[in-house]
């Protein structure tokens, strides 16, 4: 009788002991630090640590995606096991996929609740190399109070935006704010400019640089029209410094109350409405304008995924952290607290999420139909393509080349990069 | 060759023994990476998988394929980077030499508090480049920067200048920060040269009542010239591999890209170790060639 009872108890105690021993590890995760990303990543990871008894080390990385990729490539090429969980950009699964473990073993089908396109994007050679964490698309921020003051409605086309921005800028400067600008965006020569410029081109119907078949399509009259329009902004309705602005520099100008319009990602919503923000309650979000009457509203697909390094010494614990952070509950918390777009479809109908971030509902079509950068078709050469593109656009914005000449040159550069095949 | 005495041979042997550790270290820390870089320039190595690569000869430099030429040597971006780097180096080193000479002359004079001024002038040189680049980045910011604020308060500009954004002003911003940072280094090297000058020439000049400006051009400058040339060559070597200032301060477009930035982009961003190494090798060759030119030019002037 006693034996019957003792044996299973002893087995249970031993099992518990081994579980606890196997699990108490330190997992390091690299999070972005744009806006409030680092804080919300930390709180999420610490909740997981408290729940599982593990410890978490959060490593902060450069704000610029271009620099972050460079850092990751150096770490991973050296087979370093220092970081277990990597936060990776939507364009990187093709470039970095070989360094990550297949998460299917740990996800147990959880990816089916996420946007199908993103899961496909994160699947390389049949392996699920990363779990979707949050998605993004470029959106237009505007000052409700100023549009009202000048009797304007939300601009439907870029031409309207240009005129409205000029009107507000002239008015505000005459009223005494010499530092006021109409429009801020990301004009620095880096990946962010590729996102912004792709939106301009796509909104005019100028395609997506390299089409799905791999043909170089960027040298077309619609794209010329789009970039010519953009080139009229710096120094007129946008500060010339925009040519060296990334996301956070643009947000700095807009959130301090010195700009009427801003192109940025959804994360800026929660920060713009935070308690210490000078523009709290005065801002709203709309889809980016169309490129003319026949154009379309668009936004470049962004977003970040979580992947587990195959050089990690604690793969199971790291994968468990990934599944926790990408879970419905955590994505909901991130959406409500910091306006990060969930990748779980059903959260876009959740009343609490919609109450916190109203534009998630109204811009659902924009998020679902966002234009993707040609990273899948160009594969490992994507960085070169993107770099050639942002440099060509930067030349146009700085006035060193006309859109027509720059795109013709870009066409030649892309052909050199392609060299027959991608 | 004259027959060496036993003593000379013993001294030579001792010299080699004492030099050996340094030579071994030099081969390990400088020769090995350099040799490896030159070798990778002839391969198609990729950062994503460094264990598999093939020898491809000069293809990274120049190759004809399908009727078109490819490679670093026909890449307009590379030549633009070369031009940017050379232009930056010549302009900034010229400024630094002249300013460094002036500062050195001032510091060579005896005045109250000279020790403090000497220490203070070294501060820009002591700050790590990456820190000073970031610091200047904020000071030059078009919306929040102190430089624009001061200039507009003085009434010199009507609207803020985006120093680091436009490639034309960005290069001048980089030159300005570089001059601010490395003039002390030049001053220090030239000052060391100035302090070794014999005082009798100056006494003779004073007795003869020669004008100080004439003394400077006829006595001081020729005598201190070798020290100046050494300083210029040191700075030139440094300036030609400029990376951090440009990388941190500017937008990194092709308009301000230096040779090092180009090599890094190929190597890290594009994962093309082959092309990146080829570019690094070219950078090495260009630096070596320019150094030889400078040493040669410097000597010609010394013998004048």
């Amino acid at each position: 009788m006693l034996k019957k009872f003792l044996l299973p108890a002893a087995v249970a105690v031993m099992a518990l002991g081994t579980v606890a021993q196997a699990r108490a590890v330190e997992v390091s995760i690299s999070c972005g630090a744009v806006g409030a990303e680092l804080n919300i990543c930390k709180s999420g990871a610490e909740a997981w640590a408290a729940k599982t008894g593990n410890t978490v080390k959060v490593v902060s990385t450069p704000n610029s995606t271009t620099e972050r990729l460079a850092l990751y490539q150096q770490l991973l090429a050296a087979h370093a096991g220092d970081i277990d969980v990597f936060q990776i950009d939507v364009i990187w699964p093709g470039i970095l996929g070989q360094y990550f473990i297949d998460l299917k073993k740990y996800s147990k089908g959880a990816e089916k609740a996420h946007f199908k396109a993103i899961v496909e994007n994160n699947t390389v050679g049949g392996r699920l190399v990363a779990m979707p964490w949050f998605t993004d698309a470029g959106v237009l921020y505007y000052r409700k109070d100023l549009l009202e003051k000048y009797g304007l409605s939300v601009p439907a086309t870029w031409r309207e935006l240009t005129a409205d921005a000029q009107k507000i800028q002239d008015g505000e400067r005459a009223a005494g704010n010499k530092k006021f600008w109409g429009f801020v965006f990301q004009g620095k020569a880096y990946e962010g400019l590729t996102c912004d410029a792709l939106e301009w081109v796509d909104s005019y119907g100028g395609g997506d640089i390299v089409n799905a078949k791999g043909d170089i399509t960027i040298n077309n009259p619609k794209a010329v029209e789009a970039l010519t329009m953009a080139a009229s902004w710096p120094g007129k309705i946008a500060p010339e410094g925009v040519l060296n602005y990334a996301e956070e520099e643009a947000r700095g100008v807009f959130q301090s109350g010195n700009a009427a319009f801003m192109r940025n990602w959804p994360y800026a919503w929660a920060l713009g409405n935070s308690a210490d923000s000078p523009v709290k309650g005065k801002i709203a979000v709309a889809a980016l304008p169309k490129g003319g009457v026949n154009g379309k509203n668009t936004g470049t697909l962004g977003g970040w995924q979580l992947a587990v390094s195959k050089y990690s010494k604690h793969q199971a614990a790291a994968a468990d952290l990934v599944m926790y952070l990408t879970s419905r509950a955590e994505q909901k918390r991130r959406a409500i607290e910091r306006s990060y777009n969930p990748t779980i479809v059903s959260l876009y109908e959740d009343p609490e999420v919609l109450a916190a971030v109203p534009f998630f509902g109204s811009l659902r079509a924009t998020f679902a139909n966002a234009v993707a950068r040609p990273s899948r078709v160009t594969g490992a050469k994507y960085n070169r393509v993107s770099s050639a593109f942002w440099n060509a656009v930067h030349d146009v914005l700085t006035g060193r080349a006309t859109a027509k000449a720059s795109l013709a040159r870009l066409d030649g550069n892309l052909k050199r990069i392609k060299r027959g095949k991608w | 060759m004259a027959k060496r005495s036993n003593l000379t041979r013993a001294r030579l042997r001792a010299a080699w023994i004492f030099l050996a550790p340094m030579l071994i270290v030099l081969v390990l820390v400088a020769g090995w990476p350099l040799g490896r870089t030159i070798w990778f320039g002839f391969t198609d190595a990729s950062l994503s998988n460094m264990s598999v690569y093939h020898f491809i000869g000069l293809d990274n430099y120049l190759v004809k394929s399908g009727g078109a030429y490819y490679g670093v040597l026909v890449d307009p971006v590379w030549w633009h980077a070369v031009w940017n780097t050379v232009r930056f180096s010549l302009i900034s080193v010229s400024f630094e030499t002249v300013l460094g000479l002036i500062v050195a002359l001032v510091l060579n004079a005896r005045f109250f508090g000279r020790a403090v001024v000497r220490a203070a002038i070294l501060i820009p040189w002591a700050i790590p480049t990456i820190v000073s680049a970031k610091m200047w980045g904020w000071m030059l910011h078009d919306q929040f920067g102190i430089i624009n604020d001061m200039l507009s308060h003085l009434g010199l500009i009507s609207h803020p200048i985006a120093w680091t954004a436009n490639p034309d002003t960005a290069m001048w911003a980089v030159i300005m920060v570089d001059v601010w940072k490395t003039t002390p280094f030049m001053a220090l090297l030239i000052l060391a040269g100035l302090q070794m000058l014999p005082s009798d020439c100056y006494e003779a000049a004073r007795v003869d009542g020669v004008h100080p400006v004439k003394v400077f051009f006829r006595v001081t400058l020729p005598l201190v010239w070798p020290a100046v040339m050494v300083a210029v060559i040191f700075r030139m070597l440094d300036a030609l591999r400029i990376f951090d200032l440009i990388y941190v301060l500017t937008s990194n477009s092709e308009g301000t890209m230096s040779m090092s930035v180009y090599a890094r982009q190929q190597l890290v961003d594009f994962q093309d170790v082959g092309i990146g190494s080829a570019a690094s090798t070219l950078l090495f060759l260009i630096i070596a060639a320019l150094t030889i030119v400078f040493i040669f030019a410097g000597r010609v002037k010394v013998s004048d």
Side-chain angles (χ1 to χ4, degrees):
Chain A
M1 177 79 180
L2 198 64
K3 255 188 192 169
K4 252 186 190 170
F5 174 74
L6 268 179
L7 193 65
V11 168
V13 167
M14 272 166 66
L16 270 175
T18 38
V19 166
Q21 208 174 25
R23 282 195 139 193
V25 294
E26 186 182 74
V27 177
S28 57
I29 174 170
S30 74
C31 302
V34 175
E37 249 185 300
L38 193 61
N39 278 335
I40 191 130
C41 173
K42 255 185 194 154
S43 52
E46 270 155 19
W48 171 81
K51 200 183 98 182
T52 59
N54 295 319
T55 46
V56 170
K57 194 170 90 189
V58 176
V59 184
S60 57
T61 52
N63 273 357
S64 156
T65 52
T66 312
E67 279 172 45
R68 204 186 299 182
L69 177 63
L71 179 75
Y72 284 2
Q73 285 181 327
Q74 284 168 71
L75 275 172
L76 291 167
H79 298 193
D82 304 85
I83 294 176
D84 302 296
V85 178
F86 283 88
Q87 180 188 332
I88 66 164
D89 202 345
V90 69
I91 47 177
W92 297 346
I95 302 173
L96 298 176
Q98 51 167 325
Y99 296 115
F100 301 132
I101 65 167
D102 185 358
L103 286 169
K104 270 191 192 140
K105 192 175 131 195
Y106 301 97
S107 71
K108 301 186 186 78
E111 70 272 16
K112 290 194 183 80
H114 296 252
F115 281 120
K116 211 176 140 216
I118 305 176
V119 174
E120 262 170 36
N121 176 70
N122 295 358
T123 307
V124 178
R127 297 164 59 243
L128 181 66
V129 298
M131 276 299 287
W133 196 19
F134 61 97
T135 181
D136 262 339
V139 290
L140 181 73
Y141 287 79
Y142 63 91
R143 289 277 299 276
K144 279 188 296 192
D145 57 328
L146 292 177
L147 286 192
E148 211 168 291
K149 183 176 169 187
Y150 292 91
L152 301 165
S153 54
V154 182
T157 64
W158 288 111
R159 199 169 293 282
E160 276 179 46
L161 179 133
T162 311
D164 293 355
Q166 187 74 54
K167 190 173 176 187
I168 300 175
Q169 181 179 307
D170 292 346
E172 289 300 295
R173 287 199 182 178
N177 186 355
K178 288 233 167 59
K179 283 186 170 173
F180 196 88
W181 290 96
F183 181 40
V184 285
F185 56 95
Q186 291 78 46
K188 186 181 162 130
Y190 81 121
E191 186 62 34
L193 179 55
T194 293
C195 297
D196 284 38
L198 180 58
E199 283 160 358
W200 307 331
V201 171
D202 187 51
S203 74
Y204 274 85
D208 43 6
I209 310 172
V210 177
N211 70 15
K213 280 187 284 177
D215 305 322
I216 298 161
T217 59
I218 188 61
N219 191 15
N220 65 67
K222 296 259 165 75
V224 170
E225 208 181 324
L227 292 192
T228 307
M229 166 64 78
S232 73
W233 298 331
K236 299 257 174 40
I237 59 163
E240 213 194 350
V242 82
L243 300 169
N244 205 7
Y245 282 5
E247 283 86 353
E248 288 291 87
E249 285 86 356
R251 185 172 71 83
V253 175
F254 183 76
Q255 198 169 316
S256 58
N258 289 335
F261 297 100
M262 169 176 73
R263 183 273 174 205
N264 215 324
W265 308 98
Y267 83 93
W269 169 260
L271 292 159
N273 277 319
S274 60
D276 59 351
S277 166
V279 294
K280 181 177 193 270
K282 296 178 184 167
I283 58 175
V285 176
L288 287 164
K290 295 177 184 179
V293 192
N294 300 322
K296 60 173 171 175
N297 298 108
T298 186
T300 295
L301 177 72
W304 292 82
Q305 343 293 320
L306 291 174
V308 175
S309 162
K310 71 177 184 191
Y311 308 113
S312 162
K313 290 182 194 76
H314 315 294
Q315 290 181 3
D320 192 53
L321 172 60
V322 168
M323 298 318 298
Y324 176 84
L325 289 176
T326 55
S327 67
R328 193 174 198 277
E330 176 66 7
Q331 288 207 356
K332 183 171 171 178
R333 180 183 81 94
R334 291 171 57 88
I336 292 171
E337 286 180 22
R338 291 292 176 186
S339 62
Y340 285 105
N341 283 46
T343 59
I344 292 173
V345 191
S346 61
L347 280 173
Y348 285 83
E349 280 153 14
D350 189 295
E352 284 172 77
V353 171
L354 292 181
V357 196
F359 67 85
F360 277 2
S362 57
L363 294 187
R364 206 179 149 179
T366 305
F367 295 126
N369 303 320
V371 55
R373 286 162 276 173
S375 59
R376 266 175 88 90
V377 61
T378 55
K381 285 182 177 171
Y382 172 72
N383 274 346
R384 263 174 260 229
V385 171
S386 182
S387 172
F389 180 61
W390 82 53
N391 268 302
V393 175
H394 202 258
D395 272 355
V396 178
L397 293 182
T398 57
R400 290 158 70 90
T402 63
K404 203 172 175 198
S406 190
L407 287 180
R409 197 166 75 92
L410 174 66
D411 188 61
N413 284 344
L414 291 180
K415 280 179 182 142
R416 296 166 73 87
I417 294 166
K418 186 179 180 185
R419 274 181 89 167
K421 62 173 173 46
W422 293 112
Chain B
M1 193 191 269
K3 203 180 169 200
R4 286 169 176 163
S5 70
N6 276 343
L7 185 64
T8 315
R9 252 183 284 148
R11 276 186 176 166
L12 266 176
R13 200 164 47 236
W16 277 114
I17 289 169
F18 280 115
L19 275 177
M22 196 274 285
L23 287 177
I24 291 169
V25 169
L26 207 63
V27 166
L28 284 178
V29 303
W32 170 246
L34 180 66
R36 232 171 107 84
T37 301
I38 294 172
W39 160 246
F40 276 129
F42 297 116
T43 68
D44 60 355
S46 159
L47 191 62
S48 58
N49 186 0
M50 287 295 286
S51 52
V52 185
Y53 54 83
H54 309 95
F55 179 79
I56 54 166
L58 288 170
D59 283 10
N60 286 327
Y61 294 92
L62 190 65
V63 63
K64 195 175 179 185
S65 144
Y69 285 98
Y70 298 95
V72 179
L73 288 175
V74 286
D75 187 349
V77 179
W78 161 255
W79 288 111
H80 199 74
V82 172
W83 165 237
N84 278 339
T85 318
V86 171
R87 191 170 58 124
F88 160 81
S89 304
L90 290 178
I91 298 175
S92 65
V93 174
S94 306
F95 273 115
E96 284 153 21
T97 311
V98 174
L99 290 175
L101 193 59
I102 294 171
V103 172
L105 286 169
V106 170
L107 290 182
N108 198 35
R110 286 175 198 283
F111 58 90
F112 177 74
R114 186 169 69 156
V116 177
V117 176
R118 274 192 192 175
I121 207 148
L122 270 178
I123 290 176
W125 175 248
I127 298 173
T129 314
I130 214 87
V131 176
S132 52
K134 205 75 208 167
M135 193 177 83
W136 277 93
W138 283 320
M139 287 177 19
L140 291 166
H141 193 279
D142 64 317
Q143 300 295 308
F144 314 114
I146 192 168
I147 308 263
N148 278 317
D149 195 48
M150 285 189 327
L151 289 177
S152 62
H153 272 295
L154 290 172
L156 292 173
I157 51 171
S158 58
H159 61 94
I161 298 173
W163 296 97
T164 57
N166 193 314
D168 305 321
T169 51
M171 203 38 141
W172 284 104
V174 171
I175 288 171
M176 189 178 74
V177 177
D178 192 65
V179 168
W180 172 82
K181 185 186 154 53
T182 44
T183 299
F185 169 79
M186 294 295 267
L188 205 68
L189 282 191
I190 298 171
L191 181 63
L194 278 177
Q195 299 203 318
M196 296 209 299
L197 299 191
S199 56
D200 44 359
C201 304
Y202 291 96
E203 275 162 27
R206 200 166 51 233
V207 169
D208 292 344
V210 184
H211 193 272
V213 173
K214 206 169 179 186
V215 173
F216 172 74
F217 282 106
R218 287 298 166 93
V219 181
T220 310
L221 200 55
L223 283 174
V224 83
W225 190 252
V228 173
M229 274 325 288
V230 168
V232 165
I233 289 167
F234 265 94
R235 259 314 293 155
M236 205 67 199
L237 293 181
D238 225 23
L240 284 168
R241 53 181 185 78
I242 171 109
F243 173 78
D244 29 16
L245 260 189
I246 288 181
Y247 192 77
V248 174
L249 211 52
T250 75
S251 67
N252 281 307
S253 71
E254 284 163 10
T256 52
M257 190 181 268
S258 73
M259 288 189 273
S260 298
V261 174
Y262 176 92
R264 181 208 158 273
Q265 187 183 47
Q266 296 290 338
L267 236 154
V268 179
D269 290 347
F270 302 163
Q271 299 188 294
D272 200 328
V273 176
I275 295 265
S277 300
S280 301
T281 308
L282 286 174
L283 169 63
F284 169 71
L285 292 176
I286 290 172
I287 290 183
L290 280 173
T291 310
I292 291 166
V293 168
F294 267 83
I295 290 175
F296 183 70
R299 272 199 192 147
V300 167
K301 281 190 179 153
V302 169
S303 63
D304 269 354

